[in-house]
């Protein structure tokens, strides 16, 4: 029934039927490690041990699958745990992956410092340039890894076109949908094979829980992911699952407010004399604006900009901000500001994925817009 309902209805109800014993409308936190079995091998409700399955986590995984238009969801202890599971479940040593040349620093670190030692090969490419991606495809390429919008430059990948390219070469398309959230974009409906999230961000939405997720719509992919999820053990605990579910209930309402504020912030920054470039897909000047308009409901709550006076000025803007809290992460109700080159993307320094030193990244929250603009005004003025 839920699959036929609207997004906000599913966010509140999918996987979250009232408790049959008490009628509680919020799923309980099943703080248990093990379950009584009805005889040897007789599992009650399919549960035996909470690494393998927990009812609170099941509720979250069911909801995530529904929101991403998939058939199976998996909840993890972090976004990077989810990413690592994708690599180990779906690839073999010697396989080749094309990744964005402006990928999240943690993703780059995973490929370069962890997966490479395991024998995985990767090549960075501008994920918006199909010709550049195609040029890197080889007989050993098994996966294209995309972020859209990318972190932190907010480039837009054409999901449908990348899916067609990947499948023509016998490869999979993985899309990190963290920046958009399933409210703004559903990559599986556009041809992607796997969707990955840091649920810490917009899905949780309140900067109070760390988590990750994978969603697929193909049982042939779900089975190895499920096996590695259990075997490697980086699962979301029941309390973290409950907090993430609580956040998801207001995802649509929050995302609309994030988008309202971000659109206004981007327009303000475009006209500021201290700013040389604003990166926001909602701006008609953004090179990916048309593609974003085709595959996204709206343009998101993330804005990046470059400071005319260089790196020192970018750092000073971050330090002077007050309503925008200086901090890593994103997607919470509060606005955050950071210097990617020295913070979230420091691991990419000196590599092909190094970000501009004069770049500032904003996670625009849901505070009163006038307060956000006033804060940026004083931070940029110095």
């Amino acid at each position: 029934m839920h699959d036929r309902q609207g997004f906000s209805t599913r966010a509140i109800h999918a996987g979250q039927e009232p408790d049959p014993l008490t009628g509680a409308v919020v799923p309980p936190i099943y703080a248990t490690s093990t379950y009584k079995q009805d005889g040897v091998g007789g599992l009650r409700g399919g549960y035996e041990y909470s690494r393998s399955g927990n009812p609170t986590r099941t509720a979250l995984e069911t909801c995530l699958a529904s929101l991403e238009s998939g058939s199976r969801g998996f909840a993890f202890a972090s976004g990077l745990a989810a990413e690592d599971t994708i690599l180990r479940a779906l690839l073999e040593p010697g396989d080749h992956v094309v990744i964005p040349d402006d990928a999240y620093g943690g993703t780059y670190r995973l490929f370069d410092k962890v997966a490479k030692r395991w024998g995985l090969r990767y090549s960075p490419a501008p994920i918006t340039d199909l010709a550049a991606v195609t040029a890197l495809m080889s007989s050993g390429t098994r996966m294209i890894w995309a972020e859209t919008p990318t972190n932190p430059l907010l480039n837009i990948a054409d999901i449908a076109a990348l899916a067609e390219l990947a499948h023509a070469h016998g490869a999979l398309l993985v899309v990190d949908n963290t920046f958009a959230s399933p409210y703004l974009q559903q990559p599986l409906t556009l041809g992607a094979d796997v969707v990955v999230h840091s649920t810490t961000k917009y899905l949780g939405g309140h900067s109070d829980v760390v988590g990750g997720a994978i969603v697929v719509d193909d049982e042939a992919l779900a089975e190895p992911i499920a096996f590695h999820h259990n075997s490697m053990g980086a699962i979301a605990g029941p309390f973290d699952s409950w907090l993430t579910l609580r956040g998801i209930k207001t995802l649509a309402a929050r995302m609309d407010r994030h988008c309202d504020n971000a659109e206004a912030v981007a327009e303000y920054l475009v006209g500021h004399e201290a700013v040389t470039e604003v990166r926001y897909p909602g701006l008609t000047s953004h090179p990916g604006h048309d593609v974003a308009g085709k595959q996204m409901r709206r343009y998101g709550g993330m804005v990046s900009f470059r400071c005319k006076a260089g790196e020192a000025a970018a750092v000073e803007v971050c330090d002077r901000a007050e309503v925008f809290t200086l901090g890593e992460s994103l997607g919470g109700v509060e606005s955050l500001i950071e210097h990617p080159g020295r913070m979230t993307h420091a691991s990419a320094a000196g590599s092909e994925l190094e970000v501009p030193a004069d770049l500032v990244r904003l996670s625009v929250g849901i505070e009163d817009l006038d307060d956000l603009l006033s804060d940026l005004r004083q931070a940029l003025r110095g």
Side-chain angles (χ1 to χ4, degrees), residues 7-8 11-12 60 63-64 67 178-184 197-209 242-263 280 297-302 330-335 363-367 372:
F7 185 93
S8 292
I12 294 168
L60 172 59
C63 186
L64 289 166
L67 297 184
T178 298
F179 268 29
S181 87
Y183 178 64
L184 300 182
H197 282 276
S198 170
T199 58
T200 310
K201 312 307 194 294
Y202 287 110
L203 283 162
H206 293 79
S207 301
D208 57 6
V209 61
W242 184 87
L243 281 172
T244 304
L245 267 175
R246 184 180 67 169
I248 287 173
K249 290 177 186 292
T250 60
L251 178 62
R254 288 186 286 105
M255 290 308 299
D256 277 333
R257 180 62 175 260
H258 282 297
C259 291
D260 287 344
N261 283 350
E263 289 165 10
Y280 183 66
R297 185 194 301 256
R298 294 183 69 181
Y299 300 101
M302 300 300 298
L330 58 103
V333 292
E334 67 290 315
S335 293
S363 175
V364 182
I366 65 172
E367 299 96 337
L372 297 179

Side-chain angles (χ1 to χ4, degrees), residues 18-295:
D19 180 64
L21 179 63
T22 66
V25 298
V26 175
I29 301 172
Y30 284 88
T32 185
S33 61
T34 194
Y35 306 82
K36 181 183 185 300
Q37 299 188 22
D38 296 324
V40 176
L43 305 187
R44 189 178 303 186
Y47 296 101
E48 56 183 350
Y49 184 62
S50 273
R51 172 172 39 78
S52 303
N54 177 283
T56 314
R57 191 170 88 232
T58 297
L60 172 59
E61 292 172 337
T62 301
C63 186
L64 289 166
S66 176
L67 297 184
E68 282 287 8
S69 299
S71 58
R72 294 282 296 277
F74 304 90
F76 290 81
S78 70
L80 282 169
E83 292 188 6
D84 187 48
T85 299
I86 291 170
L87 301 186
R88 298 184 189 276
L90 303 181
L91 298 173
E92 299 286 344
D95 286 348
H96 175 253
V97 184
V98 179
I99 70 170
D101 65 359
D102 61 338
Y104 164 53
T107 299
Y108 166 73
R109 183 177 59 229
L110 176 65
F111 274 95
D112 191 65
K113 301 297 190 292
V114 179
K116 190 166 71 173
R117 294 178 60 197
W118 177 59
L120 201 66
R121 298 176 297 121
Y122 75 92
S123 300
I127 206 70
T128 60
D129 186 341
L130 285 176
V133 176
T134 302
L136 293 172
M137 303 292 287
S138 69
S139 59
T141 303
R142 295 288 176 263
M143 184 176 289
I144 297 174
W145 188 285
E147 297 173 8
T148 183
T150 60
N151 179 8
L153 296 180
L154 298 168
N155 287 315
I156 299 296
D158 187 326
I159 296 172
L162 283 175
E164 184 177 353
L165 173 62
H167 299 158
H169 287 79
L172 299 171
L173 175 62
V174 176
V175 176
D176 184 338
N177 202 29
T178 298
F179 268 29
S181 87
Y183 178 64
L184 300 182
Q185 179 174 268
Q186 294 93 41
L188 295 178
T189 67
L190 298 168
D193 300 288
V194 183
V195 173
V196 62
H197 282 276
S198 170
T199 58
T200 310
K201 312 307 194 294
Y202 287 110
L203 283 162
H206 293 79
S207 301
D208 57 6
V209 61
V210 173
I214 297 171
V215 181
V216 297
D217 196 32
D218 182 343
E219 196 60 27
L221 298 177
E223 284 307 310
I225 291 171
F227 175 81
H228 282 74
H229 191 211
N230 181 48
S231 299
M232 293 163 64
I235 49 91
F239 186 57
D240 289 351
S241 297
W242 184 87
L243 281 172
T244 304
L245 267 175
R246 184 180 67 169
I248 287 173
K249 290 177 186 292
T250 60
L251 178 62
R254 288 186 286 105
M255 290 308 299
D256 277 333
R257 180 62 175 260
H258 282 297
C259 291
D260 287 344
N261 283 350
E263 289 165 10
V265 164
E267 290 290 350
Y268 169 74
L269 291 170
V270 165
H272 201 286
E273 60 182 12
V275 174
T276 58
E277 181 186 13
V278 181
R279 306 285 298 182
Y280 183 66
L283 297 172
T284 56
S285 59
H286 190 288
H289 177 74
D290 290 343
V291 174
K294 181 176 63 176
Q295 65 190 25

